[in-house]
Amino acid sequence: METVFWDTFLAESLQKPWRIQQVRSIETQLPIPKAPHVFVFTETLGPEKVEMLNNMVIALKWSANNVQILNIKLEQLDDLTVWPEPKAILFFGDEFPGDIGVIKNWYGHRMGQTHSLQKLLEQTDLKRQTWQHLKDFAGIDR
């Protein structure tokens, strides 16, 4: 009987990356988004950045129910890895675990990464590249 447990344990553990997570209280954990798509960033939002995010959602032809905007601290990144259902997460900025423009599997979530909103305001020539990242993330071929 014990052998079956250990065989199952080994088989399941090889499928997922091992991670030791710091135990935190429920009050400090991020809420689980209801929307299937999540835009994640660490920067402070001003009116220009909010307008830019709204324009991205409109350009993708998504409704407000399809995407949730999530402003986090980097210490909260582990909270995203344990969400019970898979999400499509797009990180804005290069401080996140990934490469700009690359879509990959990240702890069971579909993850993409693009330029930070601040960088897009400062270097408008990156907007075309970011639009391509958004289309790739959304699975749109236009």
Side-chain angles (χ1 to χ4, degrees):
M1 187 75 160
E2 257 186 66
T3 307
V4 172
F5 168 79
W6 287 111
D7 289 343
T8 304
F9 174 79
L10 178 63
E12 288 177 359
S13 66
L14 291 175
Q15 294 176 14
K16 297 181 182 175
W18 281 74
R19 237 180 125 114
I20 298 173
Q21 296 183 355
Q22 179 182 358
V23 177
R24 295 188 298 181
S25 69
I26 291 179
E27 294 85 35
T28 63
Q29 291 180 353
L30 292 170
I32 298 169
K34 296 190 184 334
H37 302 94
V38 185
F39 287 174
V40 178
F41 50 90
T42 60
E43 53 197 301
T44 306
L45 281 184
E48 288 178 297
K49 292 178 185 175
V50 170
E51 183 180 354
M52 192 182 315
L53 286 169
N54 285 334
N55 289 339
M56 289 177 188
V57 172
I58 291 168
L60 292 170
K61 298 183 179 175
W62 286 349
S63 71
N65 296 333
N66 286 49
V67 65
Q68 184 166 340
I69 309 299
L70 193 59
N71 192 339
I72 69 167
K73 297 176 183 160
L74 281 178
E75 304 85 55
Q76 296 173 303
L77 197 57
D78 284 344
D79 289 357
L80 281 63
T81 65
V82 295
W83 284 342
E85 57 188 53
K87 302 286 181 186
I89 304 170
L90 182 64
F91 290 109
F92 287 83
D94 55 7
E95 68 271 14
F96 293 107
D99 298 311
I100 300 287
V102 176
I103 307 293
K104 66 179 186 178
N105 184 319
W106 183 69
Y107 295 98
H109 304 290
R110 187 167 180 270
M111 187 268 277
Q113 190 166 346
T114 192
H115 303 289
S116 71
L117 299 171
Q118 185 63 41
K119 199 172 200 177
L120 291 172
L121 288 174
E122 294 168 357
Q123 301 175 25
T124 56
D125 57 315
L126 294 175
K127 288 183 178 181
R128 181 181 304 265
Q129 188 180 41
T130 299
W131 173 235
Q132 187 59 51
H133 298 164
L134 283 166
K135 291 191 307 184
D136 293 344
F137 174 73
I140 299 172
D141 187 28
R142 291 185 199 163

